Amino acid sequence: MDERRTRILAICSIVAAALFWSSSYAVTKQVLADVGPLTIGAIRFTLAAVLLAIMVRIRRNPVARPDARLRRMIYLSGVLGITVYFVLENIGVELSTASDASLIVATYPLMTMLVELAVFRAGMPPLRVGGVLLATAGAFLVVRNGAEVGGSGRWFGDVLLLLGGLVWAGYNVLGKYAGRGQDAVNLTYYQTVAGATGFLLASLVEIRDWRVPDATTSALLAYLAVACSVGGFLLYNYGLRRMTSSVAVNILNLVPVFGVLGAVGINGETVRLGQVFGGVIIVAGVTVGLIERRTPGARPARRRLRVPGASTRSPARSSVDLTL
């Protein structure tokens, strides 16, 4: 396969992942009418864990299982990035709107960048500072619009979605280094098992409201598990391994665009001018924040985060950078 065709396939896989992930907000909003937010997460990620377990078992070239200490770190990243994050997301979408969620999620790449900069104590170029400020201003407009239209409930939902971004950023940093030496399928499997377990325990809070979902709700739950939880991550990781992470994250800026279209088309939501303006500013800020200016011949400095139990002689490299 030539380089050009490989790049086209990689770009198409990232775009497909963005399409699946963006649709999850509108679909979740639909399911919330019949199923509680914690129960949705439990069903979605339990199904995803079963599918991933089958994939891990039937693969021809199995990957060695990580040692106990590294496995604990991977499990922790799964609880953080799946249980905690999606609890905040599902409750946030329930209180707010799918369109607000789609626009606010555009700030997540910058939140991840800020957490990484804090961990590595690296300097922030002026363009990234400008990007952070732009994206923050855009998020403020979206949240303020939510408060004006939906009152305190919608405002609180938007705040939960923003907090979810910080949790997701922490998950990216932890998962990236905890997953050293593991391929995308294995890492996603272990994280999903941990996240599903956390959700199953959390969903017991809603046990009194449990009932058998109808055919439509069951189909939507299956879509969230198969398309968004399994397909989205695998497509993203396929593309990410064939391009730089900054290019992949830039393509994910399509998430708010697809997400708002899905909220309008699936849920019949009305998008106000303030939302559109805030979303444009967020995407612009994210784009500016991802621009890298390098002098000719300059090589970016690298700082490694030591993982407990990892060998310092030949550290493995991981290209896994999971995003929504």
Side-chain angles (χ1 to χ4, degrees):
M1 186 181 295
D2 57 39
E3 184 178 348
R4 185 167 179 269
R5 186 180 177 187
T6 300
R7 181 171 177 79
I8 291 174
L9 285 175
I11 292 173
C12 288
S13 68
I14 299 291
V15 172
L19 181 60
F20 284 140
W21 284 336
S22 64
S23 67
S24 68
Y25 302 106
V27 173
T28 299
K29 190 70 176 179
Q30 290 284 98
V31 178
L32 281 167
D34 299 313
V35 184
L38 302 180
T39 306
I40 289 175
I43 296 173
R44 170 180 175 178
F45 289 103
T46 298
L47 289 175
V50 171
L51 291 174
L52 286 165
I54 295 172
M55 294 176 64
V56 170
R57 294 291 182 267
I58 66 175
R59 64 193 315 179
R60 294 182 179 179
N61 300 312
V63 179
R65 190 183 187 191
D67 61 48
R69 181 176 296 182
L70 193 57
R71 204 159 56 245
R72 284 195 295 270
M73 291 185 66
I74 295 175
Y75 287 151
L76 177 60
S77 70
V79 171
L80 184 66
I82 293 179
T83 306
V84 179
Y85 168 73
F86 281 99
V87 164
L88 292 171
E89 180 190 287
N90 288 354
I91 295 177
V93 171
E94 183 178 37
L95 295 174
S96 183
T97 65
S99 55
D100 274 15
S102 300
L103 294 171
I104 290 172
V105 76
T107 63
Y108 290 5
L110 277 179
M111 291 186 189
T112 300
M113 182 194 71
L114 289 172
V115 172
E116 288 178 343
L117 289 174
V119 170
F120 294 111
R121 298 180 182 178
M124 183 182 288
L127 281 175
R128 291 190 180 181
V129 173
V132 170
L133 294 177
L134 271 177
T136 302
F140 172 76
L141 287 175
V142 172
V143 173
R144 188 183 69 174
N145 178 79
E148 291 176 351
V149 177
S152 59
R154 182 167 171 179
W155 175 85
F156 185 61
D158 287 348
V159 171
L160 290 180
L161 291 167
L162 286 172
L163 289 176
L166 291 176
V167 171
W168 186 258
Y171 157 75
N172 269 273
V173 173
L174 179 60
K176 182 175 181 179
Y177 295 102
R180 288 186 173 186
Q182 297 296 309
D183 69 353
V185 176
N186 259 34
L187 177 62
T188 307
Y189 166 65
Y190 288 123
Q191 290 175 330
T192 304
V193 167
T197 302
F199 255 124
L200 285 170
L201 294 174
S203 66
L204 294 176
V205 175
E206 300 173 345
I207 192 170
R208 292 184 178 179
D209 299 323
W210 285 0
R211 61 179 181 273
V212 178
D214 59 27
T216 301
T217 301
S218 298
L220 293 176
L221 285 168
Y223 174 83
L224 288 173
V226 177
C228 301
S229 295
V230 177
F233 278 117
L234 294 180
L235 283 166
Y236 180 70
N237 284 317
Y238 173 85
L240 184 62
R241 289 176 177 275
R242 290 158 179 81
M243 65 175 66
T244 60
S245 59
S246 60
V247 175
V249 172
N250 251 334
I251 296 174
L252 288 182
N253 288 331
L254 293 172
V255 168
V257 179
F258 292 152
V260 171
L261 293 176
V264 173
I266 297 175
N267 298 335
E269 294 181 9
T270 302
V271 180
R272 300 181 70 198
L273 182 61
Q275 283 181 289
V276 175
F277 187 53
V280 170
I281 292 178
I282 289 173
V283 174
V286 171
T287 303
V288 170
L290 291 171
I291 294 175
E292 294 184 2
R293 300 182 63 179
R294 297 179 183 174
T295 57
R299 300 181 65 181
R302 290 182 178 179
R303 297 186 64 179
R304 292 174 179 165
L305 180 65
R306 181 171 295 178
V307 180
S311 172
T312 57
R313 292 183 180 180
S314 179
R317 296 177 63 187
S318 172
S319 59
V320 177
D321 185 11
L322 305 179
T323 308
L324 191 59

